[in-house]
Amino acid sequence: MNLCKFFSSVRNLYWKKKKPSLGKYVIVKPGKVSPRKFVPDHIPKPSYYLTGEPTENIEHPDIKNEQQIQRMRASCRLAANILKKIGENIKVGQTTDEIDISVYETCIQCGAYPSPLNYKHFPKSVCTSVNNVACHGIPDDRPLEDGDIINVDITVFYNGYHGDCSQTFLVGNVDSEGKELVRATEICLNEAIEICKPGQYFRAIGAFIEGRAHQLGFRVVPAFIGHGIGHYFHGPPDIYHFKNSYPGVMEAGMTFTIEPILTQGEELIEILHDNWTAVTYDCARTAQFEHTVLITDSGADILTLPN
Ligand code: MF3
Ligand code: CO
Ligand code: CO
């Protein structure tokens, strides 16, 4: 029995009044992955470069000092500039492997390490997640098709600090349902950043995003969370994107990501046998946006903005 089709029909019955259609798009099956790249000696490497296992053990959200903040700003700006350049060049027929090559080469030119490469054995320099792939898509030989939506998630390790951001781009002519999903996801991220300030609960972000997503007619995929970031790729705090009871409040000098994934369909995801690719169980499309933010004395600065 084809589970994808089965779940689509159940979902379509269930949502008939509210959501007459999930639109027109191609369900993605992963393609062929090219061999792993190595990084030249002169580029400073993160702890996991050789082993695939990060060694940092961060117990509490850390407060960055001025010098650390300057370094975070630089790595986040670089990640955002690379993401912008990739976005400007996305086109029908381009493979996600070509996007990976471009991210890898730009990082090396800039003296940065592409953080995903060998992070917990991830095989590539960037995550590329198309249509029903929720996140952690591995770049491969599949050419982008007219009407695809693709999340490109860029993290760089630069000057000893990671900067992490992602956007979902439209490829050619995307149907109105897809455009709405992408727009809603970006709204959820941007408005969630506006509630961040010293003294605010981390858990307020999730309560806000879940409520806003439902207002806009979408659901949050709960399996993936934002995270503290610094000389480590992922650390405390955990930033859930749905109503939760995670403890703790924001303090000036903290840096973390917010990275909601919204879906047109059901929340459930499945990890494929490559151990990374997360696809929706019902094959509905998802979109994701991510920024790294810094808590300041009065609110939050988005660090992952391009020049
Ligand atoms: N960039 C992703 C995030 O937003 C993490 C990707 S893990 C990787 O947290 F190994 F796939 F890179
Ligand atoms: Co990311
Ligand atoms: Co992240």
Side-chain angles (χ1 to χ4, degrees):
M1 150 97 65
N2 181 333
L3 281 175
C4 258
K5 281 202 180 132
F6 175 72
F7 276 94
S8 320
S9 50
V10 171
R11 182 197 55 218
N12 284 341
L13 282 176
Y14 181 68
W15 286 100
K16 203 149 203 170
K17 284 215 182 90
K18 258 186 162 170
K19 289 190 176 295
S21 158
L22 296 186
K24 191 167 177 295
Y25 63 99
V26 177
I27 293 171
V28 172
K29 297 274 172 287
K32 198 169 178 302
V33 178
S34 62
R36 183 185 153 188
K37 289 187 172 50
F38 290 84
V39 173
D41 284 347
H42 70 276
I43 305 281
K45 314 290 194 312
S47 61
Y48 49 84
Y49 174 60
L50 287 177
T51 62
E53 305 297 337
T55 58
E56 298 80 15
N57 185 12
I58 314 294
E59 297 204 341
H60 302 285
D62 58 332
I63 310 287
K64 273 91 178 165
N65 64 30
E66 247 338 289
Q67 189 215 338
Q68 294 171 315
I69 288 171
Q70 288 319 316
R71 288 171 172 233
M72 281 299 296
R73 285 189 187 282
S75 79
C76 288
R77 190 179 312 116
L78 177 59
N81 282 332
I82 298 174
L83 182 59
K84 183 178 174 204
K85 178 177 127 183
I86 295 292
E88 287 166 353
N89 289 296
I90 276 186
K91 54 177 181 289
V92 174
Q94 182 183 37
T95 67
T96 49
D97 198 39
E98 287 163 358
I99 295 175
D100 181 72
I101 292 167
S102 172
V103 170
Y104 172 88
E105 286 177 353
T106 312
C107 283
I108 304 303
Q109 273 166 24
C110 296
Y113 180 96
S115 305
L117 190 58
N118 212 31
Y119 178 78
K120 299 188 178 176
H121 308 281
F122 189 81
K124 291 285 163 186
S125 295
V126 58
C127 299
T128 52
S129 306
V130 178
N131 295 348
N132 58 304
V133 178
C135 66
H136 300 165
I138 300 172
D140 63 20
D141 65 352
R142 178 189 182 275
L144 293 174
E145 293 188 34
D146 187 59
D148 283 348
I149 60 173
I150 177 174
N151 176 275
V152 178
D153 190 336
I154 305 228
T155 315
V156 300
F157 180 68
Y158 182 58
N159 275 325
Y161 287 81
H162 295 270
D164 188 6
C165 54
S166 84
Q167 285 183 36
T168 300
F169 300 107
L170 309 177
V171 183
N173 302 295
V174 173
D175 63 344
S176 58
E177 292 87 346
K179 283 184 186 153
E180 257 316 293
L181 170 67
V182 171
R183 195 183 79 92
T185 310
E186 192 168 19
I187 289 174
C188 285
L189 171 60
N190 288 332
E191 294 185 3
I193 294 170
E194 288 178 17
I195 71 168
C196 296
K197 59 182 179 186
Q200 176 70 281
Y201 284 100
F202 297 122
R203 61 176 172 262
I205 293 172
F208 176 84
I209 289 176
E210 181 173 316
R212 195 73 179 96
H214 290 179
Q215 271 177 9
L216 292 164
F218 298 99
R219 294 168 172 186
V220 173
V221 174
F224 300 98
I225 63 179
H227 49 91
I229 183 166
H231 62 280
Y232 50 93
F233 193 168
H234 295 106
D238 292 342
I239 305 293
Y240 293 89
H241 304 109
F242 54 89
K243 196 171 178 310
N244 69 92
S245 55
Y246 189 81
V249 297
M250 303 171 195
E251 293 177 48
M254 289 178 177
T255 54
F256 55 83
T257 74
I258 308 177
E259 47 184 299
I261 302 176
L262 267 54
T263 180
Q264 308 180 288
E266 310 274 336
E267 292 91 338
L268 190 62
I269 63 106
E270 180 186 1
I271 308 292
L272 300 184
H273 280 117
D274 57 29
N275 285 327
W276 280 104
T277 310
V279 297
T280 56
Y281 204 66
D282 63 1
C283 303
R285 278 177 292 187
T286 61
Q288 182 177 29
F289 282 79
E290 173 175 27
H291 274 306
T292 298
V293 301
L294 164 73
I295 301 305
T296 63
D297 289 333
S298 56
D301 272 5
I302 301 177
L303 297 185
T304 38
L305 291 176
N307 287 337

